[in-house]
Amino acid sequence: MTDTIVGIDLGTTNSEIAIYQDGRPLMFADERGQVVLPSVVGLSETGELLVGEEARNQFMLYPERTVRSIKRRMGTDARVRLGERDYAPQEISAIILSRLKEIAQLRLGGPVRRAVITVPAYFSDAQRQATREAGEIAGLEVVRIINEPTAAALIYEAAQHQGKCILVYDLGGGTFDVSVVRIEGGVVEVISSHGNNQLGGDDFDEKIVAHVLEHLKLKHGVSVSDQPQAMARILRSAEAAKKHLSDHPYARIEEEYLAVNDGKPVNLDLELSRDEYEAMIMPFIEETLGAIHVALGSADLTSSQVDEILLVGGATRTPLIRRRLIETFGREPRGEVDPDLCVAMGAAIQGAAMAGTEVSAVLVDVTPYTFGTSALGELDDDLYPYCFVPIIPKNTPIPVRRSEAFYTVIDGQTSVEVRIYQGENRDAEKNVKIGEFRVDGLSKAPAGNPVILDLALDRDGILQVSAREKKTGLEQRITIEKAMSRYDQAQLDEARERIGSLFEGREEGAEAQAATGSALDALLSKASTRLDGAGEEDRAEIIDLIESIRDARSSGDGSALKEARQQLQDLLFFLET
Ligand code: AMP
């Protein structure tokens, strides 16, 4: 195991460690099965060193004993205080690296000595050097420092021989980077990079927190912004709601006994819709799109020259990002490899390549088709009732569960027809309809009554569909057994039978045709015409076979006739070619 080179993503918010084993990258999980280690270091009340989750948990309460986002200080002379002592940034990073190394050693059952560590493409020499030193302090030989977008490109295109131009869109917790990368023959080069190292998913959380504080003020007349415990709870709930909204149209933000107002407890209970949330974060997303154009400009490229867009960083799970990228580039970005893990996996691929292992791009289980429903919408500038609305897009890793809100279109509408399709056409009727059902008994509400459609697809291709009236919880569900095959089992059996009988029919038909008297006569006369030009041996064989056919015909011996006839056909065919 001493030759193993691990891959490490030393991130601002989180860090991960991986190796390449049995032809694929493997993430190392800690004792609790967690593969993501928060990049936070702290000291407990009793002076015990805390790394990761425990350190992060105490940050809100004991910021003086906790250090986070040390990556932002790498390459500077800053000193950070932890308990009684001051530390250099590389020393704090070394603590995170040591913990990662410990996790890997535990899993491998042996020492880990060498590593590839990733850094952002914009890191200066001083920042790279500090990262190298952090590795050395942690007892690791840093065999190479590679750029994060390079690692991401390796994940998807490790053995790429044709030249490809790739845009890596990386939105993490606290930083955003976009890089234009060229890959050819397994060699990756970052051509340009742009971003904002103060923008990330944490800003999205802050927007939700601000919204909650406003709600508390308006509805309960309280302000809790000076109460760290309450703020920590709101922040946690806000992040959970944000993640929920990546797969669902609504999220509830609930915290009981959040504060006390006039001696009475304040319970937070607020619903946030995806639409409201998207309006809050839209300016951030637009800023990232602006950065893409800057990066493309520096690389002297237009958007049409980009071959692939790769999504990196946990915040790229936000559907609005994907949607805006599709609108801008007219193509689906790729995000099938977990965006939190792909940088560490790419570093592991680089490590394996350096250790002399042949490597390939990563394969994951994804849906080969898009699944969705139909709704009234616009198609080619006309109102059309069967516009396809994708819910689980093609290439989404499975298992997956997604839901979307749909709305009744007429006042007092008490039922909806739900059709489920598989395919990519904007006209749902041109896709494959794989299921349909009806929800009756909706409450008589004005148009715009939300019905939540929920799709859950598992690895066996079983699709569970439910439609629920949001207001009442009234629900209807169906299960589609073979959602991922174009044919269901009955159709497959039927098709197999049809094709099989075609073949049988063909053989029998051909046999019957060849055995008729006139066909035999034609064969015999053809054979006679070949006698002249044939060599001695062939001539003798043709005569023998003509004789055998005549004998068998007169004696009525069907199988002898068939055999002689086939031999004669083969011989004539051979002589002609
Ligand atoms: P990273 O630094 O790459 O680990 O990204 C962390 C950021 O991604 C944090 O802001 C997370 O809240 C965010 N994130 C993780 N999962 C999701 C999700 N399902 N939807 C939206 N943001 C997410």
Side-chain angles (χ1 to χ4, degrees):
M1 275 301 159
T2 47
D3 260 336
T4 307
I5 302 178
V6 296
I8 295 178
D9 173 3
L10 185 59
T12 310
T13 322
N14 294 312
S15 297
E16 295 87 18
I17 182 164
I19 53 159
Y20 191 80
Q21 205 173 51
D22 303 328
R24 61 196 179 89
L26 177 80
M27 300 302 303
F28 286 114
D30 69 9
E31 298 82 348
R32 281 177 297 186
Q34 301 294 322
V35 293
V36 171
L37 180 78
S39 305
V40 188
V41 174
L43 285 182
S44 73
E45 229 159 336
T46 54
E48 191 196 345
L49 180 68
L50 304 174
V51 190
E53 190 77 33
E54 288 97 347
R56 191 180 66 174
N57 289 347
Q58 74 160 22
F59 178 78
M60 276 289 179
L61 299 177
Y62 309 109
E64 71 286 358
R65 286 199 255 119
T66 319
V67 178
R68 62 173 192 173
S69 302
I70 194 65
K71 188 171 174 175
R72 295 190 192 282
R73 309 227 184 146
M74 291 292 273
T76 69
D77 293 332
R79 308 288 288 181
V80 291
R81 194 153 194 95
L82 192 60
E84 306 288 292
R85 280 195 51 198
D86 287 341
Y87 295 86
Q90 44 275 63
E91 291 174 318
I92 300 292
S93 288
I95 295 174
I96 298 167
L97 290 172
S98 298
R99 173 65 183 136
L100 291 171
K101 183 176 134 181
E102 182 180 74
I103 292 169
Q105 293 188 154
L106 201 78
R107 296 287 159 196
L108 284 174
V112 168
R113 301 199 177 94
R114 305 200 289 164
V116 169
I117 303 181
T118 60
V119 295
Y122 61 78
F123 251 29
S124 65
D125 277 350
Q127 290 168 306
R128 285 165 201 262
Q129 184 52 30
T131 306
R132 213 171 254 288
E133 286 163 9
E136 279 159 23
I137 299 169
L140 287 167
E141 179 195 343
V142 183
V143 291
R144 188 166 296 176
I145 296 275
I146 66 168
N147 291 319
E148 288 157 9
T150 298
L154 283 173
I155 263 288
Y156 286 95
E157 312 280 347
Q160 185 67 41
H161 291 292
Q162 275 175 311
K164 263 196 171 182
C165 179
I166 296 168
L167 191 96
V168 181
Y169 180 106
D170 181 351
L171 188 64
T175 58
F176 167 68
D177 301 296
V178 55
S179 306
V180 179
V181 169
R182 176 135 201 101
I183 183 159
E184 191 148 19
V187 178
V188 192
E189 183 193 3
V190 179
I191 306 175
S192 70
S193 196
H194 193 70
N196 178 348
N197 63 7
Q198 302 292 338
L199 171 66
D202 299 349
D203 296 295
F204 302 179
D205 302 344
E206 289 300 333
K207 283 279 174 194
I208 300 179
V209 169
H211 178 73
V212 170
L213 292 180
E214 185 68 19
H215 164 84
L216 286 172
K217 209 174 278 171
L218 288 176
K219 171 133 193 244
H220 301 278
V222 293
S223 166
V224 294
S225 43
D226 56 348
Q227 299 172 28
Q229 292 247 358
M231 288 300 285
R233 286 175 66 190
I234 295 175
L235 183 60
R236 211 166 274 257
S237 271
E239 189 187 6
K242 170 186 79 173
K243 291 182 179 173
H244 191 78
L245 288 171
S246 288
D247 300 325
H248 303 87
Y250 296 94
R252 273 221 103 71
I253 303 174
E254 282 173 302
E255 289 291 335
E256 280 192 0
Y257 301 108
L258 183 70
V260 177
N261 192 22
D262 285 341
K264 278 196 237 123
V266 173
N267 296 325
L268 169 66
D269 184 4
L270 173 66
E271 184 182 78
L272 183 62
S273 75
R274 190 191 280 163
D275 290 346
E276 287 173 279
Y277 168 62
E278 289 186 346
M280 293 175 196
I281 61 165
M282 188 60 104
F284 295 131
I285 310 299
E286 292 306 321
E287 183 188 329
T288 67
L289 293 176
I292 292 181
H293 292 297
V294 174
L296 284 175
S298 325
D300 245 345
L301 291 173
T302 61
S303 52
S304 62
Q305 288 169 295
V306 172
D307 296 306
E308 297 272 11
I309 305 161
L310 309 184
L311 299 180
V312 179
T316 58
R317 292 198 184 88
T318 311
L320 178 62
I321 293 177
R322 193 189 158 81
R323 233 172 42 231
R324 292 293 290 124
L325 286 172
I326 295 175
E327 281 162 13
T328 309
F329 287 90
R331 117 163 32 125
E332 295 262 347
R334 297 186 59 180
E336 54 272 32
V337 178
D338 190 322
D340 287 317
L341 311 182
C342 67
V343 169
M345 288 188 187
I349 290 182
Q350 175 72 52
M354 292 181 74
T357 308
E358 201 163 303
V359 294
S360 57
V362 176
L363 293 176
V364 287
D365 266 354
V366 293
T367 72
Y369 314 111
T370 298
F371 295 95
T373 188
S374 57
L376 182 67
E378 256 188 36
L379 190 70
D380 301 331
D381 295 333
D382 276 330
L383 216 53
Y384 180 64
Y386 303 114
C387 287
F388 185 48
V389 184
I391 294 176
I392 299 179
K394 164 174 154 178
N395 286 335
T396 304
I398 38 182
V400 58
R401 178 173 194 165
R402 295 267 163 90
S403 49
E404 282 291 342
F406 293 85
Y407 303 91
T408 53
V409 285
I410 29 182
D411 290 344
Q413 184 175 337
T414 54
S415 70
V416 282
E417 280 289 343
V418 180
R419 296 180 180 79
I420 304 297
Y421 298 87
Q422 167 208 87
E424 315 305 324
N425 205 299
R426 288 177 53 231
D427 178 352
E429 292 287 274
K430 294 199 174 131
N431 292 326
V432 182
K433 182 153 62 170
I434 54 171
E436 68 186 310
F437 62 103
R438 196 184 156 90
V439 189
D440 285 313
L442 297 177
S443 47
K444 285 202 170 104
N449 179 20
V451 175
I452 314 290
L453 189 59
D454 185 89
L455 267 60
L457 181 67
D458 73 9
R459 281 203 181 84
D460 299 322
I462 298 170
L463 182 67
Q464 310 265 7
V465 183
S466 74
R468 181 174 48 86
E469 182 181 30
K470 182 165 179 284
K471 208 160 88 171
T472 60
L474 172 83
E475 191 180 77
Q476 217 25 277
R477 45 176 63 237
I478 59 164
T479 299
I480 300 166
E481 292 288 343
K482 292 275 172 206
M484 282 198 288
S485 57
R486 285 272 177 191
Y487 286 111
D488 64 25
Q489 198 56 45
Q491 282 174 308
L492 274 179
D493 292 344
E494 205 182 290
R496 210 171 284 133
E497 219 164 84
R498 258 197 324 268
I499 303 284
S501 68
L502 262 180
F503 274 95
E504 274 167 29
R506 201 176 66 137
E507 273 171 19
E508 281 163 14
E511 187 57 42
Q513 175 77 31
T516 58
S518 60
L520 272 180
D521 289 341
L523 180 67
L524 293 175
S525 93
K526 171 102 189 232
S528 310
T529 62
R530 299 298 309 195
L531 283 173
D532 276 348
E536 195 73 30
E537 251 179 62
D538 294 333
R539 198 181 143 79
E541 202 173 343
I542 294 173
I543 294 171
D544 265 1
L545 288 168
I546 291 175
E547 286 304 313
S548 306
I549 289 175
R550 287 196 177 129
D551 287 351
R553 199 180 195 183
S554 56
S555 67
D557 185 343
S559 68
L561 178 65
K562 182 177 171 185
E563 196 182 324
R565 193 196 75 231
Q566 279 176 347
Q567 282 183 20
L568 183 59
Q569 276 171 333
D570 288 350
L571 181 61
L572 293 180
F573 177 76
F574 171 75
L575 289 174
E576 272 178 30
T577 50

